[in-house]
Amino acid sequence: DAKTTQPTSMDCAEGRAANLPCNHSTISGNEYVYWYRQIHSQGPQYIIHGLKNNETNEMASLIITEDRKSSTLILPHATLRDTAVYYCIVRVAIGAGGGADGLTFGKGTHLIIQP
Amino acid sequence: DVKVTQSSRYLVKRTGEKVFLECVQDMDHENMFWYRQDPGLGLRLIYFSYDVKMKEKGDIPEGYSVSREKKERFSLILESASTNQTSMYLCASSPTRPGANVLTFGAGSRLTVL
């Protein structure tokens, strides 16, 4: 799997857009970028994923650079409930056995939303 | 609305006890996973299963076994619990292609081994 690099922590003011960067310079052509977050004392929560096109859903937007070596997760209007650790993961969509073979979670970015 | 249910939120066991952690999902997912999470080490994959009666070792399977007799249920077994297995255990499930890496996690089971 391609390794990812994320800042250890970030602050963002409530109501502003939170932009979380992720570097994945060794990403392969068939690897997707996945984003998860983990709010304190809860299990991780899937946010969004993409291959090469920008993606948007009800939670966030994902911007992937044209060379696919980095991406940015955007929370358009951050709230206090968005305070969490955000994980950027790069993985092929299908494992060797035809199903999933597990995701590797790194240290992530601790996003703190300030009131 | 709970989709992945872990049987116990908190457990306290003694060294040497056999421990069962149960996980049930109601989304008809083919894939199920067990992770443990420790401060400073992040989430680490213990075992996963992509079908009934199938199991695959993750990154840290030593000291654990699993059972998947029914599609909706994936059990993690600690044959003889040790203090270094004190941890938060997280179960997850996902559908098969193309969403195999879109995992839904349970709330976690915090195990303390004395």
Side-chain angles (χ1 to χ4, degrees), chain A:
Chain A
D1 296 336
K3 288 188 64 176
T4 61
T5 303
Q6 299 178 253
T8 302
S9 64
M10 294 180 61
D11 288 350
C12 179
E14 189 177 18
R16 305 297 295 269
N19 297 282
L20 293 93
C22 180
N23 287 320
H24 32 79
S25 59
T26 60
I27 191 170
S28 300
N30 62 347
E31 289 181 312
Y32 286 69
V33 180
Y34 296 85
W35 282 86
Y36 283 76
R37 73 179 183 183
Q38 187 172 22
I39 295 169
H40 183 62
S41 297
Q42 296 183 21
Q45 177 189 25
Y46 164 80
I47 301 173
I48 198 167
H49 75 282
L51 183 63
K52 52 185 177 181
N53 297 322
N54 297 338
E55 302 287 345
T56 296
N57 63 20
E58 65 278 4
M59 289 183 68
S61 294
L62 174 60
I63 308 298
I64 303 173
T65 58
E66 194 167 339
D67 63 7
R68 303 209 323 122
K69 292 184 177 182
S70 65
S71 60
T72 301
L73 179 75
I74 301 172
L75 309 178
H77 305 286
T79 71
L80 298 178
R81 287 178 295 180
D82 292 322
T83 292
V85 177
Y86 287 77
Y87 299 98
C88 170
I89 303 165
V90 173
R91 192 69 167 170
V92 295
I94 303 296
D101 54 5
L103 295 174
T104 299
F105 289 77
K107 300 283 175 64
T109 296
H110 188 195
L111 175 67
I112 299 170
I113 305 301
Q114 304 281 3

Side-chain angles (χ1 to χ4, degrees), chain A residues 36 38 41 92 94 98 100 103, chain B residues 9 35 37 97 100-101 103 105:
Chain A
Y36 283 76
Q38 187 172 22
S41 297
V92 295
I94 303 296
L103 295 174
Chain B
R9 192 82 169 96
Y35 287 84
Q37 185 169 28
R97 66 190 74 189
N101 289 325
L103 274 61
F105 280 84

